[in-house]
Amino acid sequence: MRKGTALVVGATGITGGNLATHLVASGWTVYGLSRRATEQSGVIPVAVDLLDKQAAEQALAGLPITHVFYCSWVRRENEKANVEANSTMMRNLFEAIDSDNLKHASLVTGTKQYLGSFEAYGSGRIETPFRESEPRVPGDNFYYAQEDVLFDAAKRYNFAWNVHRPHTVIGYARGNVMNMGTTLAVYASICKATGQPFVFPGSQTQWHALTDMTDALVLARQMEWAATTPGAENQAFNTVNGDVFRWRRMWREIGEYFGLQVADCPETPQPLEQRMADAGSVWREIAQKHDLAEPDVEKLASWWHTDADLGREQECVNDITKSRDFGFDHFRETRGAFFDLFDRLRAEKIIP
């Protein structure tokens, strides 16, 4: 018996890719929607740009989708443009899909729900731990626009919904650069090859404060659970591993994994985007020397995204009491999630 027919939107991303793999293994029929066709085993590719309404209608016509798992976004030059583009994508999806079969839709957003958009990061000053009941932070935020499209479609087409709010997702994903785990592995490998100390690029606040993260498989399991558990529908859930840590310890442990000299946190941030400006040529040499799978560092690392996470001047801890009260209690040690990812990156010849 198949559990349902899932459409994973953003199937080549870190969240969507791991979710699609999990759902296939769990007994679902899975369609993977992305701008470029996914090549995952067991996933039926649907290649389309959701900003193209007509193309979306043609690509989704006749597909017997029972569950939508929306794990995608596009980045634009400012938050107003982010709101317009990302709400249009979701709206085009729900107008194109056959609503007669649709039972449930899940949306993945994140901790910017509480922090505000990248343009106003930390402006909300909501006290930690962040709870799902917190009010929206003033200002444009494409997460809010996506939620509003979801709520409107659910009411119009009579399906259930869930919103999932992870914090800094890490996990294995080829070709997806929005991944702090892979970015840090590449940075550490460059430090190892060049003899540089492993310098924390972020703020003193992040170095000393408590924080948490989300393993992609924890998120995948929560998404399946919420979509199939009676009583969990029509709820927003924070999604983190269940432990907390301080970067001042985690950074040293990551450095030890790579056999690096770990420097003390500088008084002022040392952003990777500036420090790794010449990383392209260095990485090509490393890739050639070690016969790595990807010589283009820009296809592996997202310096600006990791800088944004590690440069915050606010503690970030998410409350997952609500998720546990509803019955989801899966746990993952964040240190182990990092090390398992690094082991796989080495095994797949992504890093030396």
Side-chain angles (χ1 to χ4, degrees), residues 129-331:
F130 302 137
R131 295 184 179 135
E132 294 91 340
S133 58
E134 300 290 354
R136 290 178 173 182
V137 176
D140 291 322
N141 191 321
F142 78 86
Y143 285 174
Y144 306 157
Q146 287 181 314
E147 283 189 340
D148 290 343
V149 172
L150 173 67
F151 301 155
D152 179 69
K155 183 177 180 179
R156 188 186 315 167
Y157 301 125
N158 193 31
F159 61 79
W161 58 267
N162 285 109
V163 176
H164 300 265
R165 299 170 182 167
H167 178 206
T168 311
V169 181
I170 59 170
Y172 183 79
R174 285 291 300 272
N176 181 266
V177 297
M178 301 290 283
N179 188 340
M180 179 192 285
T182 303
T183 297
L184 292 183
V186 170
Y187 171 47
S189 299
I190 290 173
C191 289
K192 182 76 170 180
T194 59
Q196 300 178 49
F198 191 48
V199 177
F200 184 73
S203 68
Q204 286 278 335
T205 299
Q206 287 303 301
W207 182 254
H208 293 293
L210 288 171
T211 192
D212 51 26
M213 294 184 75
T214 306
D215 183 85
L217 187 54
V218 171
L219 177 55
R221 287 173 170 166
Q222 192 199 57
M223 292 181 74
E224 183 190 24
W225 162 81
T228 57
T229 299
E233 69 275 3
N234 303 336
Q235 298 290 331
F237 292 112
N238 290 337
T239 318
V240 288
N241 291 338
D243 63 347
V244 293
F245 65 92
R246 301 182 200 275
W247 274 110
R248 67 191 188 205
R249 175 182 291 178
M250 183 71 76
W251 195 259
R252 291 190 172 92
E253 291 172 333
I254 292 174
E256 290 170 0
Y257 176 97
F258 287 96
L260 293 169
Q261 174 190 351
V262 179
D264 289 334
C265 179
E267 288 297 321
T268 58
Q270 307 290 315
L272 291 173
E273 190 166 24
Q274 284 77 50
R275 294 183 55 227
M276 295 289 108
D278 298 324
S281 58
V282 176
W283 189 256
R284 281 192 295 273
E285 292 178 6
I286 294 172
Q288 183 176 18
K289 179 179 178 181
H290 297 279
D291 191 28
L292 300 183
E294 179 53 70
D296 185 355
V297 74
E298 297 300 322
K299 294 182 178 179
L300 296 175
S302 179
W303 310 121
W304 74 268
H305 185 260
T306 295
D307 284 339
D309 269 352
L310 298 183
R312 290 178 297 212
E313 296 291 347
Q314 179 178 352
E315 179 180 81
C316 295
V317 176
N318 292 268
D319 190 312
I320 53 173
T321 302
K322 179 181 178 181
S323 182
R324 288 170 170 163
D325 282 346
F326 273 77
F328 183 79
D329 57 5
H330 189 73
F331 173 88

